[in-house]
Amino acid sequence: MTEDRNELHQEQKKSGFAALVGRPNVGKSTLMNHLIGQKIAITSEKPQTTRDRIQTVYTDERGQIIFLDTPGIHKAKNKLGEYMVNVAERTLEEVDVVLWLVEPTTFIGAGERHIAEQLAASRLPVILVINKVDTLKNHDEILPFIDAYRKICDFADILPVSALKGNNTDVLLQLIFQYLPYGPMYYDEDVVTDQPMRQIAAELIREKALRMLDEEIPHGIAVTIEKMTERENGIIDIDATIICEKKTHKGIIIGKNGQMLKKIASAARQELEREMETKVNLQVWVKIRKEWRDSEILMKNYGYDPNHP
């Protein structure tokens, strides 16, 4: 009977869900983009870049991993912040394994301890992924960080990686497959995300704004796609709006003689053309919606539904 079961498992493939959790700016989106080999999640040096749950798919001969990249778990300051934390914490109810990304440090603050409590309550296998090891001078430096984290959570595995350089990411994939159940594929093998192209376009425009704008502005912006149509010759027309909260912010986003907005739009258009593999005609406007991050109606309009995190 055991031999039959082993043969059945050899024929079957593994498939399941893996959540990436961690504090803001630890490299979750960079790691996910690297693992699936394509840019889906936006990345930025500024924290709290990811606002919604992003679902991507990795498929090979071993089976299929559906990655859920969550917003960073942090102390919420407004309704948008609460939404982001709820998205991250509710994701734990829907997955088979958790990748907890941390940076190489022995300091474990209240934020990390809160995540450890959430993970302990979930009873899921947790792989501690110590990211950014490319910043260390030698391998031995990692040992104190492992010891520090081992004391606050019972990990299924601990693995140092560099999401930026790709170090150990193949080992990480192997570890994830170990903890997934046998089962059918959820997506066709050529699918890499369930994100609609409109949403990816909005996020790419937001990424360029995040990278180019002053520190206080990015958290107060959203991007909506008003129109996305394809012409007969294959050119895609996109009309987008950057939403901000203050008149002064609008002025900074537009810039002197419209130069900043042109820079944001140009960078976004170039990346959209690479992603879509066709010419893109991108028009971007800026609108003010005061305190939209504390308005459930406006949050819902911009794609962040507080009732369905």
Side-chain angles (χ1 to χ4, degrees):
M1 192 71 178
T2 305
E3 286 182 16
D4 291 343
R5 191 177 294 123
N6 287 339
E7 285 177 17
L8 181 64
H9 280 183
Q10 284 170 10
E11 291 170 12
Q12 286 184 327
K13 295 191 175 185
K14 289 198 162 188
S15 64
F17 295 79
L20 289 91
V21 302
R23 297 271 289 154
N25 210 29
V26 292
K28 296 185 297 299
S29 297
T30 302
L31 178 62
M32 187 185 72
N33 288 340
H34 183 90
L35 289 173
I36 65 164
Q38 187 171 333
K39 181 171 177 177
I40 299 296
I42 68 172
T43 58
S44 166
E45 292 180 357
K46 298 181 174 74
Q48 297 168 37
T49 303
T50 301
R51 285 183 178 164
D52 219 328
R53 188 175 78 178
I54 297 171
Q55 195 158 292
T56 58
V57 185
Y58 174 86
T59 306
D60 69 12
E61 68 281 355
R62 293 168 290 188
Q64 193 168 78
I65 305 168
I66 296 98
F67 288 104
L68 303 178
D69 178 21
T70 62
I73 297 174
H74 62 283
K75 189 172 181 180
K77 295 179 180 177
N78 49 42
K79 287 188 185 297
L80 178 62
E82 290 170 11
Y83 168 86
M84 290 159 65
V85 173
N86 286 340
V87 167
E89 294 181 351
R90 281 186 58 178
T91 298
L92 296 179
E93 300 169 12
E94 304 168 16
V95 299
D96 302 292
V97 60
V98 176
L99 313 184
W100 180 12
L101 262 72
V102 300
E103 294 185 340
T105 177
T106 54
F107 174 74
I108 299 176
E112 283 78 14
R113 294 184 187 281
H114 173 68
I115 294 172
E117 289 170 12
Q118 296 277 325
L119 296 179
S122 76
R123 299 180 180 272
L124 292 164
V126 178
I127 300 171
L128 180 70
V129 181
I130 304 177
N131 191 25
K132 305 185 182 180
V133 294
D134 52 294
T135 61
L136 305 178
K137 290 176 182 173
N138 61 65
H139 294 305
D140 291 341
E141 287 183 55
I142 200 74
L143 298 176
F145 312 136
I146 292 173
D147 284 340
Y149 273 94
R150 221 179 233 144
K151 292 169 185 170
I152 67 163
C153 195
D154 185 17
F155 295 106
D157 273 292
I158 298 175
L159 185 69
V161 307
S162 168
L164 194 63
K165 307 282 188 182
N167 300 352
N168 267 352
T169 50
D170 53 343
V171 180
L172 180 57
L173 286 169
Q174 184 59 43
L175 280 177
I176 296 166
F177 274 118
Q178 284 181 24
Y179 294 103
L180 297 187
Y182 290 93
M185 303 297 101
Y186 291 92
Y187 293 93
D188 291 338
E189 61 183 35
D190 58 345
V191 172
V192 293
T193 183
D194 68 347
Q195 298 288 100
M197 200 62 226
R198 289 173 79 99
Q199 193 168 342
I200 294 172
E203 285 292 90
L204 284 176
I205 295 165
R206 189 165 70 90
E207 176 189 59
K208 302 312 171 193
L210 279 171
R211 290 188 174 182
M212 295 179 186
L213 294 170
D214 291 346
E215 287 295 324
E216 77 275 12
I217 297 172
H219 297 315
I221 68 168
V223 176
T224 61
I225 302 298
E226 315 299 336
K227 184 184 82 170
M228 182 184 274
T229 56
E230 185 174 354
R231 302 183 204 172
E232 287 183 8
N233 59 5
I235 294 174
I236 295 175
D237 294 301
I238 301 174
D239 289 358
T241 303
I242 296 175
I243 311 295
C244 62
E245 293 184 309
K246 297 178 181 178
K247 189 174 181 180
T248 52
H249 289 179
K250 181 178 180 179
I252 293 169
I253 295 167
I254 293 172
K256 188 176 180 181
N257 299 323
Q259 288 305 306
M260 177 56 75
L261 188 59
K262 284 178 186 173
K263 273 177 66 178
I264 293 168
S266 176
R269 178 187 54 76
Q270 289 174 38
E271 184 141 359
L272 283 165
E273 288 183 338
R274 284 196 296 273
E275 292 291 322
M276 296 178 169
E277 297 181 341
T278 188
K279 287 285 184 186
V280 172
N281 172 37
L282 176 64
Q283 302 292 325
V284 184
W285 289 268
V286 184
K287 289 182 182 176
I288 302 167
R289 293 290 181 268
K290 291 181 181 178
E291 297 180 352
W292 72 264
R293 288 178 293 172
D294 270 317
S295 165
E296 290 194 4
I297 293 172
L298 289 178
M299 278 176 58
K300 193 172 179 180
N301 287 346
Y302 305 149
Y304 313 111
D305 187 347
N307 299 312
H308 296 92

